[in-house]
Amino acid sequence: MRWWYELKYLVRKLNRRRAERELEGEIRAHLEMEASEKIDDGLTPEEARYAARRAFGSVAIATEESRAMWGFGTLEILWQDLRYGIRLLRTKPGFAAAAVLSLALGIGANTTIFTLVNALLLRPLPVTAPAQLVSVYGTDENNRGQFLSYTPLSYLNFRDYREQSRVFSGLVAHTRIAMSLTTAGEPQQAPAEIVSADYFDVLGVKAFLGRTFTSEEDKILGAQPVVVLSHALWQTRFGGDPTLVGKTVRLNNLNYTVIGIAPQHFRGTDLAAASDLWIPMMMHDHVFTGAMRDYFNSRRSILMDVTGRLKPGVSFGQAEGEMKAIAARLEQQYPRENVKRGVSMIPLSHSAIHPNFRRVFVQSGAMLMAAVGLVLLIACANVANLLLVRSEARRREIAMRLALGARRGRLVRQLLTESFMLAGLGGALGLLLAVWGRELLWALRPPFLQNTGIDISLNGKVLGFTLLLSLLTSLIFGLAPAWRASRAELVADLKGKSAQASHGHRWFSLRHALIVFQMALSLVALIGAGLFLRSLHHARRINPGFETEKMMTLSFVVGALGYSEAQGQEFYRRAEQRVETIPGVERAAVSSVAPFAWGFHRTVTPEGGTLPGGQGILVTTNQVGLKYFDALGIALLDGRQFTERDREGVSRIAIINEAAARLFWPGQNAIGKRFRFYGDDSSREIVGLARNTVALNLGEEPQPQIFLPIQQNYSPAVTLFVRTQGDPADVLNAVRREVQSLDQNLPLVNIKTLPEILGEALWAPRMSAALLGFFGALALVLAAVGLYGVMAYTVTERKREIGIRLALGAERDQILLLVLKRGLGLVAVGALLGVGAGWLALRMLTNLLYDVSVVDPLTFVAMPTLLFLVALVACYLPARRAMKVDPLLTLRCE
Amino acid sequence: MRKQKDEPIDMLQGTLDLLILRTLLFGPIHGHAIAKSIEQTSQDVLRVDHGSLYPALQRLERRGLITAKWGTSENNRRARYYRLTAAGRKMLVTETSKWERLSEAIARILNPNREEA
């Protein structure tokens, strides 16, 4: 029952005005009664009133302590502080706006970047108990290039791993394929995965509709054409038709029965390579045609990504140990196929971005987080300075409140509440900015992140991050003024101005330390921005070694429509011919490799040469049409091009690039030399030597490449390169129509001009430069505003000193110089620290830069200069005000 | 010596609450009357800062031990009249016995020979 009384009491007292009135009335009545008693005792009315008051003690304290009963304790005090804070902020809207905006920009930038980092690197995949899942990769000691550190496994090796290992409750293989999906609309190429039947069970992914595969569906080769569709494909292509399950869809010219729809965000285990449909492994003969069918059954051909779920109680290290032991056995058992090949495991949480690329993602994420961290620290320093300046102005108020009996703890709490409030407002506004910033950045993402299951929604982690950041910032910038208040010196402060000089100097130094700190941080941000701008500039000028202006491409997979090799070859020939009849087109040639994409790597044994590590070097191959070198403008340094006569049945030939020649036969003429691919019964003769071209990445070391005439080496999937006379965009549609007219059912994809593709390839350096440039500019502006604020305040504070100097005959120019010197001196110290810190911090980013040294002299000169120029402006404005001080007026004010 | 004896004693923490409850046992009275009553019954030994009475009354009201109502005093003044609730009565009984035990214990410590005497 007691709680009920208490609640009733509190509810009644919620009406503060009434409660105040009641209490006041009650106390007044008390005093009057006491006084009238004293009058009865014979005192004069005046004396009686006085005596009554004396007996009562402090009315103020009685009222205050009674009031304390009405509230909800701490909450109530917080509310009081908040209201007081809001009142203060409203009386100083300029200060409030400056502080909140600074913080909002800082927190907004941090939340934006964190949202993306979280989505790409931290958010677990939508699978059951992801911590038990691991990715199993192959390793290849002979081929440890940057992008071959972690390789797939061959299907045969995978089967041995699955049978021999005892540490997994399930081990599944899956690999990406492109399937053509024929529905009523345009033909479509769908990114697909062919998977072990227990793929979904091992990942713990339940169907959104229908079911996933059963083991029955993975027993007999080609017997069960069934498919699970992604939620996204179901929605976009089939309008979310709930009756689709049980119906058939046409994939690669065969009817597959839809047995289920995957849950919304599940798009496979690779974030950057999302799948739209899944078919069981036993359909491999249907989707792999030609040479791929042989590769599927070759122990040497590494095609399969492998994922496993650890048995309960089995540790990661234990599992990896057993897998490595099996790998060693497999190498012994199949020395030719598995030469120097092993196995390596990575937790799924670290392989959702493929480990070959993950380091770059992590580095970029860390770099961006650092940049926005700098911005936030600068913003904090700004707000701290604003608060310090204000706390100087409020010194009398604080001293007064202390004198009137306020406890210091209570005052500190109130000041911190104000800081929390600023940070809270900044955080809320920052969150809004972040939502907007996230949309903007996500809209600018590269094509390989375009159609994925990546979930960038603001989840608890992001909101928690923002909240934590706001709290942290308020502590960082709120501590100084609160500390200042807790050390208030009553007498001096109450006296006000006369004491200012002695205080002024101490606070002078903290404020100025903050400025130095800001200058240093902003210079680090600027140097980072400068390096990446230079890097972008360099990247743009990298010559990939082939024509990039007058060129367009489109890709298609005739194999997916069931074309035989002969039909495919015929199709390529006709496509090249037909496209060349289009006005504005100069040359057309097919190639099995799209620009800046993987080619098929094959094991090469050169005759009469020795390779490092013996046999087993993988080299990327490219099966190309006759006019490929002509069309792309790749110069042949020696030998001849492919001709009509180089077709199937005639002696097999190849053209290699300089890097390959240097690798196979260093110092020798490669023309006329021969090499053999793994699994081939005859060797091939080198007939031409091509200049190096960029294979995968702009700025890469030249990669060895082997070009083969496509007539002798069929590929069921090709990219058509079209060299144009003018702007390639003009012929884009004509080329598409012409190729489509050869087969209405053939999905044509990546119909793009090369400048577009190049733009996409430069996405990372462009994005880094843009973001770092933006954050650098933001840091500079915030720091400049901070510098301006402090210098302006210093001038105001020293008006009297300046007035005296002027009165004693100082020249106005000297005053200007005095202020400038003081300001720029701080900037110089900050810049020195910034250069040092920048040099130390940015060394870690070398591999993200295109051909720019981290101690790039231009950047290290230009950026400090920029900082100085901006700082000069920020100091000049207050300095000019100082120069115009009227000595008479200032002195009279005293 | 005598002077010291006459000096009023400051209240111990929490005793004021008990005294208020006890005073209200005889029926509803207003704040001023409570103060007077405590002073008179303690024969002016206990000094009650009249001001400290009001926070105590608010505290007791909040805890549901007393309730208040506006009324008119003998001199025709409007005043708030406080009255014990059932909970307040119960609390008074337990607190009184607690207080008695405490004061006995303290007395025994301060004056160990009394029982023998």
Side-chain angles (χ1 to χ4, degrees):
Chain A
M1 248 344 235
R2 294 264 299 277
W3 61 268
W4 171 246
Y5 280 112
E6 175 149 8
L7 192 68
K8 229 165 70 179
Y9 176 86
L10 286 175
V11 168
R12 210 168 53 237
K13 299 298 182 197
L14 273 184
N15 185 345
R16 279 299 143 81
R17 250 170 234 183
R18 202 184 73 180
E20 292 279 358
R21 234 183 7 248
E22 275 189 345
L23 184 66
E24 200 198 316
E26 207 179 345
I27 291 174
R28 191 162 7 97
H30 181 111
L31 290 172
E32 283 169 11
M33 287 182 208
E34 182 74 15
S36 71
E37 257 185 40
K38 299 284 182 198
I39 292 177
D40 292 347
D41 289 352
L43 296 182
T44 67
E46 179 102 0
E47 286 167 340
R49 259 205 308 282
Y50 182 67
R53 286 228 170 226
R54 205 171 37 191
F56 195 87
S58 163
V59 175
I61 288 177
T63 316
E64 179 69 27
E65 283 181 0
S66 299
R67 266 194 216 118
M69 291 301 130
W70 302 343
F72 296 83
T74 324
L75 221 61
E76 182 77 18
I77 292 172
L78 184 70
W79 175 235
Q80 275 178 17
D81 287 350
L82 279 179
R83 279 196 315 191
Y84 186 68
I86 289 170
R87 269 209 305 280
L88 271 179
L89 291 187
R90 274 176 36 195
T91 58
K92 295 252 192 249
F95 158 77
V100 169
L101 197 66
S102 286
L103 291 173
L105 287 170
I107 294 175
N110 274 274
T111 306
T112 304
I113 297 303
F114 183 76
T115 308
L116 299 183
V117 168
N118 178 48
L120 286 171
L121 295 172
L122 302 177
R123 213 168 182 145
L125 287 169
V127 296
T128 306
Q132 293 173 348
L133 290 168
V134 297
S135 296
V136 182
Y137 294 100
T139 58
D140 188 333
E141 289 295 321
N142 272 341
N143 296 282
R144 289 179 62 114
Q146 192 188 354
F147 296 111
L148 283 173
S149 308
Y150 296 92
T151 70
L153 300 174
S154 69
Y155 187 65
L156 295 183
N157 273 345
F158 156 72
R159 284 212 316 219
D160 286 340
Y161 283 120
R162 187 172 57 185
E163 271 150 35
Q164 295 177 27
S165 66
R166 296 282 167 271
V167 289
F168 298 105
S169 61
L171 192 66
V172 293
H174 45 102
T175 192
R176 282 182 42 93
I177 47 177
M179 293 192 85
S180 88
L181 170 65
T182 319
T183 53
E186 274 200 2
Q188 186 187 350
Q189 195 181 84
E193 259 182 306
I194 183 165
V195 302
S196 307
D198 49 349
Y199 174 79
F200 289 100
D201 300 334
V202 168
L203 293 178
V205 172
K206 302 256 179 300
F208 173 76
L209 264 185
R211 59 174 178 86
T212 55
F213 305 120
T214 63
S215 55
E216 282 309 304
E217 281 155 346
D218 202 17
K219 289 223 166 106
I220 304 160
L221 190 61
Q224 301 266 8
V226 290
V227 63
V228 173
L229 302 183
S230 77
H231 191 275
L233 185 71
W234 178 55
Q235 287 292 330
T236 55
R237 201 66 186 179
F238 300 98
D241 175 9
T243 64
L244 188 68
V245 174
K247 292 184 181 163
T248 61
V249 294
R250 198 151 183 84
L251 294 167
N252 285 14
N253 261 350
L254 183 71
N255 284 334
Y256 279 72
T257 305
V258 178
I259 57 162
I261 310 294
Q264 195 177 359
H265 284 295
F266 181 75
R267 301 293 295 276
T269 53
D270 190 330
L271 272 182
S275 298
D276 262 334
L277 50 93
W278 294 268
I279 59 170
M281 192 60 81
M282 279 303 117
M283 294 307 295
H284 65 82
D285 255 15
H286 176 230
V287 293
F288 294 133
T289 53
M292 283 301 285
R293 213 172 266 185
D294 304 332
Y295 296 147
F296 184 87
N297 291 310
S298 155
R299 197 174 283 277
R300 177 83 187 148
S301 298
I302 40 183
L303 296 177
M304 292 294 154
D305 292 322
V306 174
T307 305
R309 185 177 289 280
L310 297 177
K311 272 184 188 160
V314 172
S315 75
F316 182 85
Q318 225 175 319
E320 198 177 37
E322 191 189 82
M323 289 296 275
K324 280 190 189 302
I326 298 172
R329 280 207 299 276
L330 287 174
E331 192 185 350
Q332 262 177 4
Q333 214 171 337
Y334 307 98
R336 219 163 88 81
E337 291 88 344
N338 288 335
V339 55
K340 301 224 173 151
R341 281 190 175 170
V343 76
S344 173
M345 284 182 10
I346 289 187
L348 189 69
S349 57
H350 284 66
S351 68
I353 296 285
H354 196 284
N356 285 346
F357 315 106
R358 191 168 194 274
R359 175 154 180 259
V360 175
F361 275 78
V362 170
Q363 250 184 331
S364 309
M367 172 184 80
L368 289 174
M369 285 305 291
V372 291
L374 291 180
V375 171
L376 185 60
L377 280 176
I378 292 169
C380 278
N382 257 1
V383 178
N385 257 337
L386 281 170
L387 283 174
L388 276 177
V389 166
R390 221 176 52 128
S391 79
E392 291 297 311
R394 279 173 78 182
R395 201 156 56 196
R396 282 189 73 162
E397 172 206 329
I398 285 165
M400 185 69 81
R401 290 174 62 184
L402 282 173
L404 289 178
R407 272 166 308 167
R408 279 172 201 261
R410 181 84 176 70
L411 270 180
V412 167
R413 185 148 78 171
Q414 149 129 53
L415 289 173
L416 280 179
T417 308
E418 279 178 51
S419 301
F420 280 128
M421 209 164 63
L422 285 176
L425 285 173
L429 193 60
L431 202 59
L432 284 179
L433 285 179
V435 170
W436 178 75
R438 175 197 65 169
E439 296 303 328
L440 183 74
L441 284 188
W442 198 236
L444 297 174
R445 71 190 182 280
F448 71 90
L449 292 179
Q450 215 64 251
N451 175 27
T452 64
I454 296 172
D455 183 1
I456 56 159
S457 56
L458 297 177
N459 63 355
K461 222 184 248 171
V462 173
L463 294 177
F465 174 81
T466 309
L467 188 68
L468 194 73
L469 211 60
S470 307
L471 287 178
L472 217 65
T473 51
S474 67
L475 277 184
I476 295 175
F477 68 69
L479 275 179
W483 182 64
R484 169 70 186 81
S486 70
R487 299 171 24 121
E489 285 163 41
L490 277 188
V491 181
D493 285 348
L494 275 178
K495 278 189 195 155
K497 272 194 169 168
S498 58
Q500 206 159 2
S502 65
H503 274 296
H505 283 292
R506 198 168 62 226
W507 283 90
F508 195 74
S509 64
L510 176 54
R511 278 205 304 273
H512 288 66
L514 282 173
I515 287 295
V516 168
F517 175 69
Q518 278 184 311
M519 290 300 139
L521 293 185
S522 65
L523 189 54
V524 173
L526 280 177
I527 289 174
L531 287 178
F532 278 82
L533 283 168
R534 290 265 288 157
S535 160
L536 175 62
H537 183 64
H538 283 207
R540 278 214 176 107
R541 286 195 312 190
I542 291 173
N543 179 5
F546 52 84
E547 173 62 33
T548 52
E549 289 300 316
K550 297 171 179 174
M551 179 83 75
M552 63 152 289
T553 68
L554 59 82
S555 308
F556 46 87
V557 186
V558 292
L561 291 186
Y563 278 49
S564 69
E565 178 173 343
Q567 286 170 318
Q569 296 283 20
E570 177 60 19
F571 188 94
Y572 298 155
R573 217 170 4 255
R574 286 179 60 202
E576 287 172 349
Q577 278 167 7
R578 292 280 286 272
V579 166
E580 283 186 355
T581 65
I582 298 170
V585 169
E586 265 190 0
R587 288 265 184 285
V590 293
S591 155
S592 62
V593 182
F596 310 117
W598 279 121
F600 202 82
H601 284 71
R602 297 188 68 181
T603 312
V604 176
T605 315
E607 291 180 359
T610 41
L611 287 180
Q615 52 175 330
I617 294 290
L618 290 170
V619 177
T620 183
T621 60
N622 191 354
Q623 296 119 284
V624 300
L626 282 185
K627 296 168 192 155
Y628 178 80
F629 295 97
D630 251 11
L632 274 83
I634 300 172
L636 284 193
L637 301 169
D638 200 355
R640 64 165 176 94
Q641 301 221 12
F642 298 135
T643 69
E644 288 285 353
R645 282 174 294 122
D646 303 316
R647 48 182 63 252
E648 198 64 53
V650 191
S651 70
R652 300 212 266 186
I653 54 159
I655 294 176
I656 60 174
N657 72 351
E658 300 165 85
R662 201 168 305 133
L663 177 69
F664 297 162
W665 301 283
Q668 299 177 48
N669 184 358
I671 305 292
K673 295 262 190 318
R674 306 184 74 85
F675 70 91
R676 193 184 285 255
F677 283 127
Y678 174 90
D680 274 5
D681 40 16
S682 64
S683 62
R684 291 163 203 252
E685 186 190 342
I686 312 285
V687 297
L689 180 66
R691 219 172 48 200
N692 285 334
T693 55
V694 167
L696 190 60
N697 277 302
L698 289 169
E700 72 192 3
E701 288 291 307
Q703 300 288 310
Q705 294 186 65
I706 297 175
F707 300 93
L708 306 167
I710 201 163
Q711 299 113 292
Q712 288 185 343
N713 307 269
Y714 178 63
S715 162
V718 293
T719 294
L720 183 68
F721 285 77
V722 181
R723 173 74 169 271
T724 59
Q725 283 159 357
D727 185 349
D730 296 342
V731 299
L732 210 65
N733 279 318
V735 171
R736 175 223 293 263
R737 267 197 309 276
E738 205 59 51
V739 178
Q740 194 74 78
S741 73
L742 293 174
D743 186 337
Q744 292 298 336
N745 288 329
L746 184 67
L748 304 177
V749 296
N750 294 326
I751 310 170
K752 287 172 182 170
T753 68
L754 217 70
E756 272 179 86
I757 295 171
L758 209 58
E760 287 164 7
L762 285 174
W763 176 81
R766 198 176 52 241
M767 208 60 196
S768 315
L771 283 177
L772 289 178
F774 176 74
F775 295 139
L778 196 58
L780 180 64
V781 168
L782 285 174
V785 167
L787 178 63
Y788 168 81
V790 167
M791 290 315 290
Y793 181 75
T794 309
V795 167
T796 317
E797 199 186 41
R798 307 196 134 215
K799 223 175 205 165
R800 185 161 150 243
E801 176 197 327
I802 294 166
I804 293 172
R805 279 172 189 258
L806 283 171
L808 292 178
E811 293 292 324
R812 291 193 179 269
D813 287 358
Q814 282 178 310
I815 299 297
L816 184 80
L817 274 180
L818 179 80
V819 178
L820 281 184
K821 250 199 251 164
R822 208 162 272 273
L824 292 180
L826 296 172
V827 177
V829 177
L832 223 65
L833 288 173
V835 166
W839 179 72
L840 284 176
L842 293 163
R843 277 191 307 185
M844 289 174 269
L845 302 177
T846 321
N847 66 318
L848 295 179
L849 294 171
Y850 288 85
D851 204 20
V852 180
S853 156
V854 282
V855 287
D856 178 49
L858 184 64
T859 306
F860 272 79
V861 170
M863 289 305 158
T865 312
L866 177 64
L867 180 71
F868 263 102
L869 288 179
V870 173
L872 189 65
V873 176
C875 292
Y876 178 72
L877 297 174
R880 208 180 46 176
R881 260 217 334 255
M883 194 171 72
K884 289 185 178 159
V885 164
D886 182 346
L888 223 59
L889 220 61
T890 352
L891 292 177
R892 208 176 278 157
C893 273
E894 287 294 311
Chain B
M1 212 46 189
R2 208 183 133 66
K3 192 165 189 296
Q4 211 171 25
K5 206 170 183 182
D6 280 353
E7 190 93 330
I9 300 169
D10 281 333
M11 284 283 197
L12 272 171
Q13 190 86 34
T15 42
L16 183 58
D17 289 9
L18 180 58
L19 294 181
I20 291 173
L21 291 179
R22 168 78 191 158
T23 311
L24 292 181
L25 192 56
F26 308 113
I29 49 173
H30 53 71
H32 183 248
I34 297 172
K36 287 288 135 188
S37 166
I38 292 175
E39 276 172 6
Q40 277 159 21
T41 36
S42 80
Q43 291 159 2
D44 289 333
V45 172
L46 289 177
R47 181 173 63 193
V48 180
D49 242 355
H50 294 188
S52 62
L53 204 59
Y54 287 90
L57 285 168
Q58 295 287 342
R59 184 164 54 237
L60 291 169
E61 195 184 347
R62 175 166 176 166
R63 291 169 64 197
L65 301 176
I66 59 177
T67 60
K69 223 193 253 166
W70 283 102
T72 314
S73 75
E74 54 273 30
N75 303 334
N76 248 348
R77 276 203 183 78
R78 274 178 63 70
R80 291 195 89 201
Y81 279 79
Y82 291 90
R83 161 175 86 67
L84 276 182
T85 64
R89 245 169 245 281
K90 227 172 14 182
M91 181 64 78
L92 177 60
V93 174
T94 56
E95 286 299 305
T96 308
S97 87
K98 242 196 238 169
W99 180 258
E100 277 165 358
R101 285 210 312 278
L102 180 73
S103 60
E104 262 172 48
I106 291 176
R108 266 203 299 279
I109 293 164
L110 295 180
N111 211 350
N113 296 327
R114 205 170 67 170
E115 250 170 287
E116 287 156 300

